[in-house]
Amino acid sequence: MDEEIAEETDSEDVFPDGGLRAWLVVAGATLMLLPSFGFSVAIGTLQDYWHQNQLSEFAARDIGWIPSVFVYLMLGLGLLVGPFFDRYGPRWIALVGSIGYVVMIFLLAECTEFWQMILCLGMLGGVTAAMLTCTALAVVAQWFKTRRALAQGIAMTGSSVGGFAIPLMLKSTFPAYGYAWSLRILGFVFLFCLVISNILLKARFRPSPAAKKKAIISLHIFGDLRFSLFTISVFGFEVVLFGALGILPTYASIATDFPPDTGFYLIAVLNGASCLGRILPGYLADKLGRFNTLFIMIVFTLVFMLALWLPLGTKSLPALYAFAALFGFGTGSWMALTPACVGQLCRADEFGRYYGSMYFVASLATLVCIPISGELVQTVGPEAMVGFFCCILALSLMSFIFSRWACLGRRWVLRAKI
């Protein structure tokens, strides 16, 4: 157990905020988020493939339940994984999650029926991905405070790299090797990443005796108005983010006359741009304030949804690619800054509990957003679906503004660093 602790003498309130050991932890978290979170943001590629092949008799709305269950469990089970991390540290949670996740991807290669995919990717994948994503972000929070937004933004680039590389890899391997071997190749890549990440991840301090005595589920933390309003905002973020990621390839193939490969490239462009969105705003947030920077990026994303996706998404392929890049940059910053904002509302040894509880609520959005977006694009048209996402993001922005207000002692202060 001693080897799991990097420096027992460090106080929980004194953060290294750098150094070789801290940045190796960030590297480990990046590699852990690549196959877990990265696969979740690239999953629209698989959904579109199933719609055209194994599950061609199913509607897009029905196929959407497979990635929805996966993402819902990946985020929602943080309610349990977070407190277990606070109690016992990362080692066994990360190890068990890694083994289960690799088993899942190799089993998915053998799946041909809808129910098999729900059980394998949705259930097994969702549970094990929750163990990986929550652990990776919680460990980074133990090592950084002043530079936490930058560090967690760098760690979250793992999901962007995964979201960029996985669609392009599958696009090349599907025609060359077929479905089963394409996923097996992906499985070996995931195995490599997870072995290295398990070696690099280390907790900075032992779980406190107080953390071990706390209840696993602590719903009383929602009594904090700052946290409750921020959770409502993140709920809306997840509707927009995963709804768009899950439906974009299907949107391109059903609602437009663009080339068949457009869906692959849209997801790759979106996730490639999100790499920059996770690093640059993260660096800026440590100087301007995390809530302030996130506010700017929400407005940035909403403007381009209204200016590009809504009027031009089905009419102009260059405009759709431009939107994908800008949307990826904006939403990438959401994913990087959200953990940093949560860390600003709690102690480092409570991060897992707060982060997991918030995403338990926010994950409910992911359970329904992909089937809803699939139904909207097929029944009332793509413009109505985009309009729906814009309305949801506008409501999230309002809730976020009030969360910032609560953080400032219920005062309206424009220039405060928060």
Side-chain angles (χ1 to χ4, degrees):
M1 187 166 180
D2 288 339
E3 61 212 23
E4 187 180 327
I5 310 304
E7 290 229 14
E8 249 183 277
T9 56
D10 275 354
S11 164
E12 295 180 19
D13 296 320
V14 179
F15 292 79
D17 267 313
L20 178 62
R21 181 64 259 171
W23 289 114
L24 285 175
V25 169
V26 172
T30 304
L31 287 172
M32 188 164 284
L33 290 169
L34 190 154
S36 52
F37 227 130
F39 193 50
S40 75
V41 296
I43 206 163
T45 305
L46 266 183
Q47 183 181 346
D48 189 48
Y49 183 88
W50 292 330
H51 190 246
Q52 297 180 36
N53 295 276
Q54 296 100 314
L55 304 179
S56 57
E57 72 277 14
F58 288 83
R61 172 196 63 224
D62 300 324
I63 299 172
W65 283 106
I66 301 170
S68 289
V69 171
F70 170 66
V71 176
Y72 166 70
L73 291 176
M74 180 186 76
L75 298 176
L77 287 180
L79 181 71
L80 299 177
V81 176
F84 273 108
F85 174 89
D86 292 339
R87 284 182 171 211
Y88 305 111
R91 170 152 306 203
W92 293 107
I93 300 174
L95 182 60
V96 172
S98 298
I99 293 170
Y101 199 75
V102 171
V103 168
M104 177 278 297
I105 198 70
F106 281 101
L107 287 178
L108 187 61
E110 311 302 324
C111 295
T112 57
E113 302 291 335
F114 178 85
W115 66 269
Q116 294 171 343
M117 294 171 182
I118 280 279
L119 288 177
C120 183
L121 177 59
M123 302 296 290
L124 178 59
V127 170
T128 51
M131 301 171 79
L132 299 177
T133 55
C134 190
T135 298
L137 290 170
V139 171
V140 173
Q142 290 186 351
W143 290 85
F144 293 86
K145 186 173 185 180
T146 304
R147 305 168 75 185
R148 183 177 290 164
L150 175 62
Q152 290 187 317
I154 292 172
M156 286 295 285
T157 59
S159 63
S160 295
V161 172
F164 174 78
I166 290 169
L168 296 181
M169 185 185 302
L170 293 178
K171 180 184 180 299
S172 301
T173 55
F174 276 152
Y177 304 108
Y179 174 79
W181 267 107
S182 294
L183 290 190
R184 289 176 193 138
I185 292 169
L186 203 59
F188 285 116
V189 174
F190 288 1
L191 177 62
F192 172 80
C193 291
L194 292 172
V195 167
I196 301 300
S197 65
N198 273 267
I199 293 171
L200 294 179
L201 281 189
K202 282 190 178 181
R204 187 171 65 88
F205 46 75
R206 291 185 187 278
S208 67
K212 294 183 178 182
K213 294 177 182 177
K214 289 182 180 178
I216 294 295
I217 299 176
S218 304
L219 296 182
H220 71 274
I221 64 178
F222 289 102
D224 183 339
L225 183 62
R226 305 169 303 164
F227 182 67
S228 297
L229 289 169
F230 186 59
T231 300
I232 294 170
S233 300
V234 175
F235 180 93
F237 296 168
E238 301 306 303
V239 172
V240 176
L241 173 61
F242 285 101
L245 285 169
I247 204 62
L248 260 181
T250 305
Y251 167 94
S253 62
I254 291 179
T256 72
D257 296 323
F258 300 148
D261 289 343
T262 299
F264 283 98
Y265 292 122
L266 281 175
I267 295 296
V269 167
L270 190 155
N271 285 300
S274 76
C275 276
L276 293 176
R278 290 163 210 263
I279 296 174
L280 296 180
Y283 175 78
L284 197 63
D286 289 328
K287 299 183 178 300
L288 298 181
R290 290 135 194 186
F291 277 79
N292 295 340
T293 307
L294 184 51
F295 170 77
I296 293 169
M297 297 312 300
I298 297 169
V299 173
F300 170 92
T301 309
L302 181 58
V303 166
F304 284 107
M305 288 174 68
L306 292 168
L308 285 178
W309 197 15
L310 184 60
L312 300 174
T314 58
K315 299 172 185 174
S316 168
L317 185 56
L320 187 58
Y321 277 122
F323 162 74
L326 293 165
F327 184 79
F329 183 84
T331 55
S333 69
W334 302 353
M335 296 174 74
L337 294 174
T338 294
C341 289
V342 172
Q344 198 161 312
L345 303 177
C346 65
R347 287 172 50 85
D349 61 349
E350 297 175 320
F351 180 87
R353 186 178 304 273
Y354 272 72
Y355 181 82
S357 298
M358 180 189 70
Y359 267 106
F360 172 73
V361 175
S363 65
L364 295 172
T366 66
L367 188 61
V368 296
C369 65
I370 300 177
I372 286 175
S373 57
E375 179 70 11
L376 286 172
V377 77
Q378 285 189 312
T379 57
V380 296
E383 288 83 6
M385 181 199 73
V386 177
F388 169 75
F389 285 148
C390 290
C391 291
I392 294 294
L393 187 55
L395 291 172
S396 295
L397 177 60
M398 292 177 59
S399 178
F400 182 80
I401 289 170
F402 279 100
S403 177
R404 182 182 182 276
W405 165 79
C407 288
L408 292 169
R410 306 190 182 188
R411 294 178 296 121
W412 298 106
V413 182
L414 184 61
R415 297 195 174 198
K417 180 181 176 180
I418 181 71

